[in-house]
Amino acid sequence: METTSTPTHCPYCALQCGMNLSPTPEGGVEVTERVDFPVNRGALCGKGRTAPAVLSSRVRLTSPLVRSGGTLVPATWDEALDRIAGELGAIRAEHGPDALGVFGGGGLTNEKAYTLGKFARVVLGTSQIDYNGRFCMSSAAAGGIKAFGLDRGLPFPLEDIPKTGCVILVGSNLAETMPPALRFFSELRENGGTLIVVDPRRTRTAEQADLHLMPRPGTDLALALGLLHLVVAEGRVDEEYVRERTSGWEEARAAAMAHWPEHVERITGVSVPQLREAVRMFCEPEAAMVLTARGPEQQSKGTDTVGAWINLCLATGRAGRPLSGYGCLTGQGNGQGGREHGQKADQLPGYRKLDDPAARRHVAEVWGVDPDSLPGPGRSAYELLDALGTDIRSLLLMASNPVVSAPRAAHIEERLKSLDFLAVCDVVLSETAALADVVLPVTQWAEETGTMTSLEGRVLLRQRAITAPAGVRSDLEVLHELAARLGVEKGFPTDPEEVFEELRRASAGGPADYSGITYRRLVEENGVFWPCPAPTPTEPGAGAGAVGGAPAGAAGAAVDDDGEDTGFDVFLEDPARDEAGPAQPGAVLPANIHPGTPRLFLDRFATDDGRARFVPVSHRPAAEEPDEEYPVFLTTGRVVAQYQSGAQTRRVDELNAAAPGPFVELHPRLAARLGAAEGDPLAVVSRRGRAVAPARITTGIRPDTVFMPFHWPGEGRANTLTNPALDPTSRMPEFKVCAVRVEVAGA
């Protein structure tokens, strides 16, 4: 038996923890420790450790399924693909290309996300494509672009966190959502730094904090403005930094001054002494960071909320400096890369804007099509799902389970059922796949090679370790076969490295420039941080398939040693100022190879003038506040043993034993008012529906708030209740706050 292990990465969250896969005597694989990857250094959570369980034919799909007489029955690949192509072609002929919808996922590799976007626009000709990553960090992306001109989850590697002086962690329970990351914050405190956690629940993460702020759900914006008010009032503004590296301060300052501490205390429930202590802890060290997650972002004012926390960083000089900055903790495995390369409604590869004529020309040239043939921007994720069965008559869906994960989920389930045709590509028969007319079984992480981009902006290579079962094909093969059946014979290769080489060309010169990254570099350097430009054709080693990048000594001035413009983006850091050097310590790169960019903005921001932008924002209520009929806040989130919609983790016995089902977390005072005891079935009712789950009583939550995890379907489906009110900029739904009433079920 072959005993060589394969280095790869976990299939779940955006940490993309390193692991080795080793063959077992039974013909499967087991996870073994991989200590060389710096993010987790061999540590794994239970989800990563048990990931091979989903590879079993006992729980996964191994044959195409086609609906016949109301039932899904096994079919051949030709039958299934012919059915999909025939239905899509007929609907397009009768109703036009925008009657065809495409919905992707934040777990798709970069190669698959890129190809899916290309397929939608080149083969189908539809503008109606988006992905479930819209529900992940779109508000942080919008806020980052407004302020910095660029969206990358973290503008620095995780290894910088223990070296800073203070971290404000807003709306993240990373001790459960990405446990291996907790060590960075433990090391921060061991080094004398401090951790402030903002969360309406006393989570496992909050228990690690030096200061825990428990605001009312939906008031994170007011909290950030109140802290900025105190920064101004206490004379803690870094005036020199504001003057030299930012613009728009006076307007943002005026907006913050309308949020005085006592006013903010009334809005948030966070006391004035706690506000003052948070400002002291954040401002006294030389360096500090603010990190946000879904708590402040999944709100109908999420972009403004992120903007307020960025303003706090800018006013105190905590952005674009070593060991300081604003960052977002991306959730899904490829939430970052998934939105960079074209499966998002308004984007083309390289994080280019779809409505930018120059971007359209560049990508169209790579694709060999007329720029005018590319459709314009389409609907965002929830708006696309909401339009199913009306303007959009069919849907091709990959790697997503909106029946469980979408807000107002019962409504979205009905929209899916109303379609003329639904095709789903997945590894398991998810709740959404069970509604489909055709289901295609596709390869999983261990059965395919492809790249992922972690929350650090580190592009990684996940390598195939085993052969997929007979009857299973890759998503790239599916798109190749469908394209051919729909009349496009070329341009959809099935080899992931060939796709990546095209992605490099398509991304070249864009904000997310991967053109200097190759599969070989990803193996040798343990990943490469983007942006990473390729050499120009006149430089040694350039050309098709070459390892590329800027000269290793290229500074922020963007000129070479002869004083000529290199063409590289001037917001990249000066590598001489980066102690870490290349992504893999000790790697030696030729002089003309760009090392990648672990740390952004050290010399300038990615704006026209190199300055960061303050954005003036003011607090406003959530789209739905508690009232007499619905007097309690509901907030939602994850638990350590399950992941996202649970489509994969709910098929792992060990994980189900640890987290067997949904629950309603509530404070003892609220439980007493309801007459509820631990384990009693509670009905949680919103304007959109009703969910029932057992009571879990704890003092670690606000008395005016209940919490439900969102991993389960059925009567305990939390997203039956959630509000689809959208942020006007990011189009993020307001998952994290809505008004409900709670009652003992059957009482």
Side-chain angles (χ1 to χ4, degrees), residues 447-463:
E447 301 162 348
E448 60 186 14
T449 294
T451 59
M452 307 286 280
T453 305
S454 75
L455 78 171
E456 302 176 294
R458 189 196 302 252
V459 185
L460 302 162
L461 186 65
R462 261 191 351 201
Q463 300 188 70

Side-chain angles (χ1 to χ4, degrees), residues 79 95 142 174 246 471 475 535 639 645 668 672:
E79 289 170 341
H95 301 284
L174 56 81
T246 72
D475 295 283
V639 297
S645 76

Side-chain angles (χ1 to χ4, degrees), residues 340-571:
E340 294 170 0
H341 299 301
Q343 67 169 334
K344 197 175 176 185
D346 57 351
Q347 286 176 351
L348 289 170
Y351 221 139
R352 288 181 161 90
K353 300 297 291 183
L354 186 54
D355 56 5
D356 176 3
R360 293 169 68 87
R361 286 194 300 272
H362 174 87
V363 174
E365 183 176 359
V366 173
W367 288 351
V369 299
D370 184 343
D372 292 336
S373 70
L374 299 178
R379 293 175 172 93
S380 71
Y382 181 78
E383 292 165 304
L384 189 157
L385 294 171
D386 188 42
L388 299 180
T390 57
D391 295 344
I392 301 175
R393 311 299 292 267
S394 70
L395 185 68
L396 173 63
L397 184 145
M398 287 186 168
S400 187
N401 188 18
V403 166
V404 178
S405 63
R408 196 185 172 197
H411 170 71
I412 297 305
E413 183 174 356
E414 291 305 311
R415 300 316 318 146
L416 286 160
K417 291 177 179 177
S418 73
L419 284 165
D420 293 350
F421 181 74
L422 171 63
V424 173
C425 300
D426 210 331
V427 299
V428 297
L429 190 66
S430 70
E431 288 72 24
T432 304
L435 303 179
D437 297 288
V438 178
V439 183
L440 300 180
V442 291
T443 50
Q444 298 186 54
W445 57 290
E447 301 162 348
E448 60 186 14
T449 294
T451 59
M452 307 286 280
T453 305
S454 75
L455 78 171
E456 302 176 294
R458 189 196 302 252
V459 185
L460 302 162
L461 186 65
R462 261 191 351 201
Q463 300 188 70
R464 185 175 70 85
I466 60 174
T467 301
V472 174
R473 298 185 184 180
S474 75
D475 295 283
L476 294 179
E477 291 176 295
V478 169
L479 294 172
H480 171 86
E481 292 290 340
L482 290 177
R485 283 167 167 80
L486 290 165
V488 180
E489 298 285 346
K490 296 182 179 179
F492 290 87
T494 60
D495 176 65
E497 187 168 11
E498 185 177 349
V499 175
F500 190 78
E501 288 300 307
E502 183 179 303
L503 183 156
R504 292 176 62 203
R505 299 194 301 275
S507 73
D513 191 336
Y514 284 30
S515 60
I517 303 173
T518 64
Y519 273 26
R520 177 168 64 83
R521 285 194 65 180
L522 295 179
V523 171
E524 293 175 352
E525 299 171 42
N526 229 343
V528 177
F529 292 83
W530 71 261
C532 184
T536 62
T538 57
E539 291 177 302
V547 178
V559 293
D560 63 18
D561 292 337
D562 297 323
E564 294 187 5
D565 185 357
T566 65
F568 300 121
D569 291 320
V570 294
F571 62 85

